[in-house]
Amino acid sequence: MRKTKLSSRRRRTLRRILIAAAAVFLVNRIFLIGLLFPVQAIRHNEEREGAGRTAVVCRDWAPEIYKSQLVYLTENEDITMLSGARLTYLGWINGYGVMLDCTEEAPVHGGWLAWSEREQSSILYAFGRVDGPDIARLEVRLQYTDWKGEDHTALTWNSEREDWMEKDGRHYFLFRTYPPFDWTEYHPRLDAVAVGYDEAGLDIAWVELSNGSGSISS
């Protein structure tokens, strides 16, 4: 009799656990809350953008935006994506992101993304994938036009091939900085380009980073 009671109690406990797990799963999928891990939020970003499943290349912590703000660079054969996740009282939630379509042949696929808090820009990222086999050095320039119509180079990043990150035989870059200008004034006229140089220092690739976007945190 005692064994029967213990067995029944275990079955009830297991049933409750399964019901709770199913409830958490439904809340995760339907309401996008209660996520236990940041990578779950990144999966929601993938679904939203139609990127398919991606693998993590690297992760950055951006406490300037939120104390728990994480920024992920992820990839698959066709996609390179930069997106965010942060921890709230509702669990991990996904944030804004930029997805690059890498299905078309190009020496460089790249984009830029700015995360801002209220009206002041906090962090700016430039990221992408280098497919050109002869590119030995990459220069990324962030340019803007002032109110007089004059062009300026605001930022320049340089990196060598050995500095890039490798994932599944593909090479990726991620740059991070603080914009040295008034973001609210210059954001609409920003322009970013990537220039690839060979071993001899000749520029053999020039790509406009047209996928750039800005995001204001709430």
Side-chain angles (χ1 to χ4, degrees):
M1 179 67 70
R2 188 171 182 180
K3 289 184 178 180
T4 301
K5 288 183 179 179
L6 286 174
S7 180
S8 299
R9 189 175 301 167
R10 287 171 180 167
R11 284 199 297 270
R12 287 196 300 270
T13 301
L14 179 59
R15 189 181 303 114
R16 290 169 183 168
I17 292 173
L18 292 176
I19 291 173
V24 170
F25 176 79
L26 289 175
V27 168
N28 288 171
R29 297 299 300 173
I30 297 174
F31 300 104
L32 305 183
I33 60 175
L35 302 179
L36 301 178
F37 305 101
V39 71
Q40 291 177 282
I42 300 305
R43 295 290 173 249
H44 285 305
N45 282 334
E46 293 170 351
E47 293 178 8
R48 182 183 62 191
E49 299 292 340
R53 181 60 65 92
T54 63
V56 176
V57 178
C58 70
R59 183 182 69 178
D60 186 47
W61 178 40
E64 299 90 340
I65 307 301
Y66 295 104
K67 293 298 183 182
S68 61
Q69 181 73 52
L70 297 176
V71 179
Y72 283 81
L73 178 64
T74 63
E75 63 84 42
N76 60 32
E77 184 178 358
D78 299 325
I79 296 298
T80 301
M81 186 167 69
L82 191 73
S83 57
R86 65 185 177 94
L87 184 62
T88 71
Y89 68 94
L90 295 174
W92 288 92
I93 63 173
N94 59 325
Y96 191 81
V98 170
M99 183 184 74
L100 305 177
D101 183 352
C102 302
T103 55
E104 294 186 6
E105 289 189 11
V108 179
H109 301 274
W112 62 268
L113 173 62
W115 260 287
S116 305
E117 184 176 6
R118 298 182 179 89
E119 295 181 355
Q120 298 299 318
S121 178
S122 294
I123 303 176
L124 189 145
Y125 291 93
F127 71 102
R129 186 171 109 185
V130 182
D131 287 341
D134 297 327
I135 297 178
R137 180 171 66 87
L138 188 69
E139 179 182 85
V140 176
R141 305 170 188 162
L142 185 68
Q143 304 165 332
Y144 68 92
T145 304
D146 64 20
W147 63 276
K148 296 180 180 179
E150 297 178 353
D151 295 328
H152 301 271
T153 298
L155 297 168
T156 301
W157 291 286
N158 283 279
S159 65
E160 309 290 335
R161 177 170 287 272
E162 56 266 25
D163 299 326
W164 305 336
M165 296 165 285
E166 185 174 353
K167 185 74 174 180
D168 299 325
R170 296 178 285 271
H171 293 88
Y172 299 88
F173 63 90
L174 178 66
F175 303 132
R176 178 190 200 271
T177 192
Y178 300 97
F181 48 74
D182 184 344
W183 183 255
T184 57
E185 181 180 355
Y186 294 124
H187 169 248
R189 291 165 288 182
L190 281 176
D191 179 38
V193 298
V195 183
Y197 298 88
D198 63 12
E199 292 285 356
L202 300 175
D203 57 318
I204 57 174
W206 189 96
V207 178
E208 183 176 355
L209 307 188
S210 58
N211 292 76
S213 276
S215 175
I216 303 298
S217 68
S218 58

